Amino acid sequence: MELYNKDIFSDDILPVVIVGNGPSGICLSYLLSGYTPYLSPDGFHPNPILHNKLKENPHLSLFDQDLEYLCEGVEGRSSNPVAVLFDALLLPDGDFGVECASPLIWRHEPERATPHLVLGKGPPGGAWHAMEGSMLTLSLANWMELPGVKLKEWMRDKRRNLRNDRATPAEIASYYQHYVTKMGLEKSFACGTTVTSVSRVSLESGRSVWKIQGLQKRASSGEEIEVPFAVYAENVVLATGTHDIPARLDVEGENLPFVCHSFWELEAAISSGRLDSASEPVLVVGAGLTAADAVLAAHHLNTPVYHAFRRPVSDPALIFNQLPKLLYPEYHKVHQMMSQQQCKGGETVANLSNQPLSSPADGNCYPGYLSFPKHHVAAFRSDGKCVLEDEGGKQTVLQVSMALVLIGAHPNLSFLPEHGGPLALDSEEPISCRRNPLDVDPYTYECVKEPGMYAMGPLVGENFVRFLKGGALAIVCDIARKRSKKRQENCTASSLNIQLTNCTLEA
């Protein structure tokens, strides 16, 4: 879809503009396009409390029900209640890795459709298209799918096999792109767009709307050009994700060439042959899943690994302590390595480059790996050395070939005033999925400090696709409620005008 600079006319003001075309934006577009969930006539939910509540109004769609009431008593792995509710309805008992039929059925009701526009830099799928490589996704395959198209069936049609019931990022990106086409959502997507500004503007009538400005890439005479555009909306949804700007340590030497901030730089070093089993050890900083992927990749290559992180291994907030061992054996292995292969305080650090990597020695279950819990990086040096420091201030100097700082990322909200900082829970701290998400109403996902602006996905703390779908449900329900209220007010005003006219005529 090609966009242009528009003058403000009532017909040009869209009900909704979504910034971001990843799984969050795609799922929201699906629900805004009239696809409506109902309780199936023979639907059953294993949670008896939720099942009984659903049976109270079986004729009503989920959009027309009291979400807060349905959320009561439903528990899950997300802190957002509607996310837990919708996940429980789409994937009953999903945490146990079993496939239990959803009690929902979907009906396409075009009369419910809300005109909307989805803006994204690349093809539908968002950041998944940048995640090239052969890594398996964290989530089970059915956790990654969106309503209406079974991921497993789509992959079988493509003659691809799921490994451990999981897919690669490239396969997931392809699935999301196919989903938009299959469900007929393409007409609402404008790809190749970079949003540069989102701001409130007032119309001559006194009405306040959102003005979304940006640039769209287009082909012209065999060349790619960027054309400015502007669109207007009653509501804007932030669905950009948080993978744009890698988080930094802000320590001395962090800009040195051997210090990297993405997993893909590790893959590039392996592919080019710059990193192999003869290399000096790699330092991985961080205790999240991307850091674990880096540990696994380097260890698989027989490259020695130093692994530093701030938390103790037993900290319940560590993601490894929240994942079922049977479903995620590779991450459980990394957790074991972190626990069993620690550098003890006061111990001399052995040179991992001199250790045999093929077989355990001296009780070393994971040769070529050493973890540094409760340590932080004090500095990087130009000679390839890294200085670690523990809680007591004791320093350890390590010689490395490459340092990977994988401690999360921040969203790029440069198109908002103050980069969106005032919208966060703590406006003084950078926006972060885990530590400082945007402050939204838990049942509508509307920003507490900015009415008419919504946020979903990682921006509100949802890193898993299975839970971001709940944000789409909450937003659609709230926008439908607003539009219904507006129609009623218009009808009341029209009725009042007719009555006044009749009174005048009779007089």
Side-chain angles (χ1 to χ4, degrees):
M1 177 191 295
E2 292 190 348
L3 304 175
Y4 301 91
N5 276 309
K6 291 187 176 182
D7 295 321
I8 306 180
F9 298 104
S10 59
D11 291 344
D12 290 333
I13 300 172
L14 288 161
V16 186
V17 167
I18 304 163
V19 183
N21 66 355
S24 294
I26 295 171
C27 186
L28 180 53
S29 176
Y30 175 76
L31 298 186
L32 287 171
S33 297
Y35 291 95
T36 309
Y38 287 84
L39 177 67
S40 172
D42 56 351
F44 171 80
H45 197 280
N47 181 326
I49 297 175
L50 180 56
H51 179 75
N52 289 334
K53 287 181 180 180
L54 292 170
K55 285 292 187 183
E56 290 173 10
N57 296 292
H59 60 290
L60 291 181
S61 79
L62 204 54
F63 296 159
D64 301 313
Q65 302 208 34
D66 184 344
L67 295 184
E68 188 169 353
Y69 171 66
L70 293 178
C71 286
E72 293 172 359
V74 183
E75 297 179 348
R77 292 176 179 268
S78 170
S79 59
N80 294 320
V82 182
V84 173
L85 169 68
F86 205 27
D87 178 68
L89 292 172
L90 293 171
L91 298 168
D93 288 338
D95 283 333
F96 301 105
V98 297
E99 290 202 33
C100 184
S102 169
L104 299 180
I105 56 171
W106 291 85
R107 298 174 187 163
H108 188 216
E109 300 177 340
E111 68 277 8
R112 287 184 182 266
T114 301
H116 63 281
L117 178 65
V118 185
L119 304 174
K121 293 179 181 178
W128 286 94
H129 289 280
M131 299 181 192
E132 296 173 357
S134 58
M135 283 194 318
L136 295 176
T137 61
L138 168 66
S139 298
L140 295 173
N142 62 338
W143 292 5
M144 305 297 293
E145 69 189 23
L146 299 178
V149 180
K150 293 289 185 183
L151 177 59
K152 288 184 180 179
E153 293 176 6
W154 175 80
M155 291 191 70
R156 275 198 295 268
D157 290 342
K158 295 290 181 182
R159 295 184 174 86
R160 295 172 182 169
N161 293 320
L162 289 170
R163 287 176 285 170
N164 295 333
D165 205 23
R166 286 154 60 199
T168 65
E171 290 165 339
I172 296 298
S174 182
Y175 163 78
Y176 290 141
Q177 200 164 356
H178 164 80
Y179 183 91
V180 170
T181 303
K182 174 77 173 177
M183 307 313 294
L185 309 179
E186 287 176 307
K187 62 183 181 299
S188 298
F189 278 69
C191 300
T193 56
T194 300
V195 174
T196 57
S197 172
V198 174
S199 59
R200 278 279 188 190
V201 295
S202 294
L203 308 184
E204 291 182 2
S205 63
R207 181 182 174 194
S208 175
V209 297
W210 293 103
K211 182 178 183 179
I212 301 97
Q213 294 175 281
L215 299 169
Q216 185 178 35
K217 291 180 180 178
R218 295 192 202 151
S220 176
S221 302
E223 294 184 359
E224 190 174 72
I225 60 171
E226 287 190 322
V227 179
F229 71 86
V231 293
Y232 299 86
E234 296 173 358
N235 303 283
V236 65
V237 181
L238 306 177
T240 59
T242 61
H243 299 286
D244 294 303
I245 305 170
R248 297 175 64 86
L249 297 167
D250 294 326
V251 299
E252 179 189 342
E254 193 169 2
N255 291 324
L256 289 167
F258 71 92
V259 182
C260 303
H261 294 81
S262 80
F263 176 85
W264 318 114
E265 291 174 276
L266 172 64
E267 283 207 327
I270 293 172
S271 299
S272 66
R274 288 185 290 116
L275 196 69
D276 56 28
S277 58
S279 301
E280 291 283 355
V282 170
L283 170 67
V284 177
V285 181
L289 298 174
T290 307
D293 287 326
V295 169
L296 289 169
H299 200 66
H300 179 73
L301 193 68
N302 281 340
T303 301
V305 180
Y306 293 126
H307 188 189
F309 42 95
R310 287 180 175 271
R311 299 176 184 269
V313 179
S314 59
D315 190 327
L318 277 184
I319 186 66
F320 307 102
N321 292 319
Q322 302 173 31
L323 298 176
K325 296 176 183 179
L326 292 177
L327 297 182
Y328 305 100
E330 71 276 39
Y331 291 123
H332 176 56
K333 176 185 175 182
V334 173
H335 194 221
Q336 278 187 319
M337 294 164 72
M338 293 164 65
S339 178
Q340 297 176 15
Q341 213 69 32
Q342 298 181 31
C343 177
K344 302 294 191 294
E347 213 174 58
T348 301
V349 178
N351 186 345
L352 292 186
S353 299
N354 299 328
Q355 286 189 7
L357 296 173
S358 56
S359 60
D362 300 325
N364 187 339
C365 298
Y366 301 104
Y369 172 89
L370 191 61
S371 73
F372 293 83
K374 297 190 284 188
H375 280 68
H376 67 272
V377 176
F380 296 105
R381 296 178 180 168
S382 57
D383 58 357
K385 287 187 171 65
C386 173
V387 182
L388 299 183
E389 189 173 294
D390 67 12
E391 291 179 314
K394 181 180 180 298
Q395 293 191 338
T396 302
V397 180
L398 304 174
Q399 180 70 52
V400 301
S401 61
M402 185 179 194
L404 288 156
V405 179
L406 303 172
I407 55 173
H410 303 298
N412 181 3
L413 297 177
S414 58
F415 53 84
L416 293 176
E418 299 180 60
H419 293 247
L423 302 177
L425 284 171
D426 184 347
S427 59
E428 301 299 318
E429 293 294 322
I431 295 170
S432 161
C433 174
R434 285 191 302 163
R435 299 182 184 88
N436 192 32
L438 300 192
D439 188 10
V440 298
D441 182 288
Y443 297 102
T444 67
Y445 283 60
E446 188 172 27
C447 292
V448 171
K449 299 163 189 171
E450 193 62 81
M453 178 175 280
Y454 298 81
M456 62 183 298
L459 289 174
V460 297
E462 298 298 3
N463 252 339
F464 296 111
V465 173
R466 61 181 288 201
F467 291 122
L468 62 80
K469 292 172 273 192
L473 172 66
I475 292 169
V476 169
C477 288
D478 193 54
I479 288 176
R481 179 188 58 79
K482 283 183 178 178
R483 298 191 80 200
S484 175
K485 182 179 178 182
K486 185 178 177 181
R487 281 194 297 268
Q488 289 174 0
E489 289 173 350
N490 290 340
C491 288
T492 301
S494 298
S495 176
L496 184 59
N497 286 335
I498 291 171
Q499 290 175 19
L500 290 172
T501 300
N502 290 338
C503 288
T504 303
L505 290 172
E506 289 171 5

